Amino acid sequence: MAYYVINGGKRLEGSVTISGAKNAALAIIPACILAGESCRLENLPHIEDVHLLEQILRMMGAEVDFTADGGMRINPKTINNRHVTFDMVSRLRASYYLLGAMLGRYGYAEVALPGGCSIGQRPIDQHIKGFRALGADVQIQRGIITAKADRLVGAEIYLDVVSVGATINIMLAAVGAEGRTIISNAAKEPHVVDAANFLNMMGAQVKGAGTDVIRINGGRKLHGCTYPIIPDQIEAGTYMIAAAATRGDVVINNIIPTHLEAISAKLMESGAHVIDGDDGREFFMRVSCENRPRAVNIKTFPYPGFPTDLQQPMMAYLARAKGNSFIVENIFENRFNHVGELQRMGANIIINDRTAMVEGVDRLFGAPLYASDLRAGAALIVAALSAEGRSEIHNIEYIDRGYEYFEQKLRAIGADITRVEE
Ligand code: UD1
């Protein structure tokens, strides 16, 4: 098993380029199944979750190959296996998008219940409610979900909770349904918009993505296309937080500034400097911080609120702030698994239900650390970078799921981080 060794206390300085968005890629790769022809995806992050999906598609019979510039070409015409088993999906939560895509394309899907990070119960009842509203018969038996329909018909679907996964999954199935589907109380995350843009590029009619009502005119034949995936909001936010946590000065390239407003606002409130700009070729963000940050309060909310995926790295940053920060996790009930590890580094954090009270300390100290999920791993990296002394971070297979070339990118901006392969 590999682990990271970080000698903390080094200021991050320089520039880093953000990769394609993990959560957009995990929706758009399965969405290629809906096309009658090959699709070519650009700006794809080379991360473990993408490789798992690539393998699943190959096992289904799709032709998948990589282009010289790191893009992926997917030909779904050769798919001949519509049974996605537990072995294939056990490590990948976003495998649920295979359900919506296969249902929309073939009217039949059989997918084992997804794996992924343990950060709460993570039910998929809203996905199923949506498929049923479109006319599918959905059954769950022995951990396998089967969805089938002779004919899918557009419907009006109100989501009881704002769910990224359900919004995108219903969109995927609805492009294959005859007539109009309306999804109300839809999620507005950047990757929902990116998935809708991709579907439209293939010839679908999806309108309103990015607002809470999405209208889909389904039943159109979809063609192949070339599509560049948006930059990763969460990866960018992680580097912004790491820059501030190490009292560094980092330019973050290949970003969409509006996607980062909630993070910029909170970093500025804490005393960091955040400037966004446009160098004529692309947008960038520059984050610097000279002094010990001030405590700030955070409440996670669906987009455009503060993203739950950055709550953990932000807590690592606030662990060294002046004063008490209150952090409320509204999306996932178990997303405080990193707290015990931060405490072992000297952080002073008390959890009460969904609220963490972080009493800032002047210094954190390196320690052997264990990541419990992807963003907990990112939080431990932020903490270790800003701590005194040596940390070892274990279970980094979680981190590999979502951050492309993490240690190389961090090293290039001055971090003392090494990946040790055991
Ligand atoms: C996606 C992201 C994840 C991010 C999360 C919230 C992907 C692959 N993952 O996860 O990184 O942390 O959005 O931004 O894109 N819920 C239900 N019933 C459902 C579906 C969800 O009750 O059918 C609840 C969940 O338990 C959670 C909330 O809704 O409390 C939001 O979950 P959702 O937006 O669906 O998260 P994911 O799509 O799983």
Side-chain angles (χ1 to χ4, degrees), residues 4 53 71-72 123 130 186 237 252 268-269 277 300 336 349 365 371 384-385 396 405 409:
Y4 283 135
L53 254 183
M72 190 191 264
I252 297 151
M268 287 193 284
E269 199 181 317
T300 62
F336 286 139
I349 303 168
F365 299 95
L385 289 171
I396 63 172
Y405 309 133
K409 288 187 185 184

Short mmCIF file of all heavy atoms in Angstrom, two decimals, residues 4 53 71-72 123 130 186 237 252 268-269 277 300 336 349 365 371 384-385 396 405 409:
data_model
loop_
_atom_site.label_atom_id
_atom_site.label_comp_id
_atom_site.label_asym_id
_atom_site.label_seq_id
_atom_site.Cartn_x
_atom_site.Cartn_y
_atom_site.Cartn_z
N TYR A 4 1.80 8.73 1.84
CA TYR A 4 2.53 9.97 1.62
C TYR A 4 3.34 10.30 2.86
O TYR A 4 2.86 10.10 3.99
CB TYR A 4 1.56 11.15 1.42
CG TYR A 4 0.91 11.21 0.06
CD1 TYR A 4 -0.46 11.46 -0.07
CD2 TYR A 4 1.66 11.08 -1.11
CE1 TYR A 4 -1.06 11.55 -1.31
CE2 TYR A 4 1.06 11.15 -2.36
CZ TYR A 4 -0.30 11.39 -2.44
OH TYR A 4 -0.89 11.48 -3.67
N LEU A 53 -14.24 3.51 -14.20
CA LEU A 53 -15.34 3.62 -15.16
C LEU A 53 -14.92 3.12 -16.54
O LEU A 53 -15.70 2.46 -17.24
CB LEU A 53 -15.78 5.08 -15.30
CG LEU A 53 -17.08 5.49 -14.65
CD1 LEU A 53 -17.38 6.94 -14.95
CD2 LEU A 53 -18.26 4.61 -15.06
N GLY A 71 -7.05 12.62 -23.89
CA GLY A 71 -8.51 12.51 -23.96
C GLY A 71 -8.94 11.04 -24.06
O GLY A 71 -8.11 10.14 -24.16
N MET A 72 -10.24 10.82 -24.02
CA MET A 72 -10.76 9.44 -24.09
C MET A 72 -11.80 9.36 -25.21
O MET A 72 -12.64 10.25 -25.33
CB MET A 72 -11.42 9.10 -22.75
CG MET A 72 -11.80 7.65 -22.58
SD MET A 72 -12.86 7.44 -21.11
CE MET A 72 -11.71 6.99 -19.87
N PRO A 123 -28.59 7.35 0.34
CA PRO A 123 -29.64 6.60 -0.35
C PRO A 123 -29.77 7.05 -1.81
O PRO A 123 -29.27 8.11 -2.17
CB PRO A 123 -30.91 7.00 0.43
CG PRO A 123 -30.60 8.30 1.05
CD PRO A 123 -29.12 8.33 1.30
N GLY A 130 -37.46 9.02 -9.73
CA GLY A 130 -37.43 9.64 -11.06
C GLY A 130 -37.61 8.62 -12.17
O GLY A 130 -38.41 8.81 -13.09
N ALA A 186 -34.14 20.86 -8.68
CA ALA A 186 -32.94 20.21 -9.22
C ALA A 186 -31.69 20.80 -8.58
O ALA A 186 -31.70 21.94 -8.11
CB ALA A 186 -32.89 20.44 -10.73
N GLY A 237 -10.50 24.47 -5.21
CA GLY A 237 -10.74 24.91 -3.84
C GLY A 237 -9.73 24.32 -2.88
O GLY A 237 -9.28 24.98 -1.94
N ILE A 252 -3.63 29.85 -9.28
CA ILE A 252 -4.31 28.61 -9.65
C ILE A 252 -4.93 28.81 -11.03
O ILE A 252 -5.82 29.66 -11.21
CB ILE A 252 -5.36 28.26 -8.57
CG1 ILE A 252 -4.62 28.01 -7.24
CG2 ILE A 252 -6.17 27.03 -8.94
CD1 ILE A 252 -5.39 28.34 -6.03
N MET A 268 -11.47 34.99 2.18
CA MET A 268 -11.25 36.43 2.39
C MET A 268 -11.75 36.85 3.77
O MET A 268 -11.10 37.64 4.45
CB MET A 268 -11.94 37.23 1.27
CG MET A 268 -11.19 37.10 -0.04
SD MET A 268 -11.69 38.29 -1.28
CE MET A 268 -13.22 37.63 -1.83
N GLU A 269 -12.90 36.27 4.16
CA GLU A 269 -13.42 36.59 5.50
C GLU A 269 -12.40 36.21 6.58
O GLU A 269 -12.31 36.85 7.62
CB GLU A 269 -14.72 35.80 5.69
CG GLU A 269 -15.64 36.32 6.77
CD GLU A 269 -16.89 35.43 6.89
OE1 GLU A 269 -17.47 35.03 5.85
OE2 GLU A 269 -17.27 35.14 8.03
N GLY A 277 -8.45 36.67 -11.98
CA GLY A 277 -8.06 37.44 -13.14
C GLY A 277 -8.15 36.61 -14.40
O GLY A 277 -8.56 35.44 -14.37
N THR A 300 -22.39 24.03 5.17
CA THR A 300 -22.39 23.46 3.82
C THR A 300 -23.81 23.45 3.27
O THR A 300 -24.78 23.20 4.00
CB THR A 300 -21.84 22.01 3.81
OG1 THR A 300 -22.70 21.19 4.61
CG2 THR A 300 -20.44 21.95 4.35
N PHE A 336 -17.44 13.84 9.31
CA PHE A 336 -16.50 14.36 10.30
C PHE A 336 -15.45 13.30 10.65
O PHE A 336 -14.84 13.33 11.72
CB PHE A 336 -17.24 14.80 11.57
CG PHE A 336 -18.01 16.10 11.41
CD1 PHE A 336 -19.27 16.25 11.96
CD2 PHE A 336 -17.45 17.17 10.72
CE1 PHE A 336 -19.97 17.44 11.84
CE2 PHE A 336 -18.15 18.38 10.59
CZ PHE A 336 -19.41 18.52 11.15
N ILE A 349 -11.07 20.29 18.52
CA ILE A 349 -12.35 20.27 17.80
C ILE A 349 -13.35 19.46 18.61
O ILE A 349 -13.05 18.36 19.08
CB ILE A 349 -12.19 19.62 16.40
CG1 ILE A 349 -11.13 20.37 15.59
CG2 ILE A 349 -13.53 19.62 15.64
CD1 ILE A 349 -10.69 19.66 14.33
N PHE A 365 0.97 19.57 14.75
CA PHE A 365 2.20 18.78 14.72
C PHE A 365 2.00 17.54 13.84
O PHE A 365 0.93 16.91 13.89
CB PHE A 365 2.59 18.35 16.14
CG PHE A 365 2.84 19.54 17.02
CD1 PHE A 365 1.83 20.04 17.83
CD2 PHE A 365 4.08 20.19 16.98
CE1 PHE A 365 2.06 21.16 18.62
CE2 PHE A 365 4.30 21.31 17.77
CZ PHE A 365 3.29 21.80 18.59
N ALA A 371 -6.48 8.34 6.19
CA ALA A 371 -7.61 8.94 5.47
C ALA A 371 -8.79 7.97 5.52
O ALA A 371 -8.62 6.77 5.31
CB ALA A 371 -7.23 9.21 4.03
N ALA A 384 -1.27 18.49 7.18
CA ALA A 384 0.14 18.07 7.26
C ALA A 384 1.06 19.11 6.61
O ALA A 384 2.18 19.33 7.09
CB ALA A 384 0.31 16.71 6.58
N LEU A 385 0.60 19.75 5.54
CA LEU A 385 1.42 20.77 4.87
C LEU A 385 1.67 21.96 5.79
O LEU A 385 2.71 22.59 5.73
CB LEU A 385 0.73 21.27 3.59
CG LEU A 385 0.66 20.28 2.41
CD1 LEU A 385 -0.24 20.85 1.32
CD2 LEU A 385 2.05 20.00 1.85
N ILE A 396 -4.08 6.22 1.05
CA ILE A 396 -4.16 7.26 0.03
C ILE A 396 -4.85 6.78 -1.24
O ILE A 396 -5.04 7.55 -2.17
CB ILE A 396 -2.78 7.89 -0.28
CG1 ILE A 396 -1.83 6.85 -0.86
CG2 ILE A 396 -2.21 8.58 0.93
CD1 ILE A 396 -0.54 7.49 -1.37
N TYR A 405 -2.41 13.70 -10.15
CA TYR A 405 -1.00 14.09 -9.91
C TYR A 405 -0.86 14.97 -8.66
O TYR A 405 -0.20 16.00 -8.69
CB TYR A 405 -0.44 14.86 -11.12
CG TYR A 405 -0.63 14.16 -12.44
CD1 TYR A 405 -1.10 14.84 -13.55
CD2 TYR A 405 -0.33 12.80 -12.59
CE1 TYR A 405 -1.28 14.20 -14.77
CE2 TYR A 405 -0.51 12.16 -13.80
CZ TYR A 405 -0.99 12.86 -14.88
OH TYR A 405 -1.18 12.22 -16.08
N LYS A 409 1.91 17.92 -8.31
CA LYS A 409 1.47 19.32 -8.35
C LYS A 409 1.89 20.06 -7.08
O LYS A 409 2.31 21.21 -7.12
CB LYS A 409 -0.05 19.40 -8.52
CG LYS A 409 -0.54 19.01 -9.91
CD LYS A 409 -2.04 19.28 -10.03
CE LYS A 409 -2.61 18.79 -11.34
NZ LYS A 409 -4.04 19.14 -11.50
#
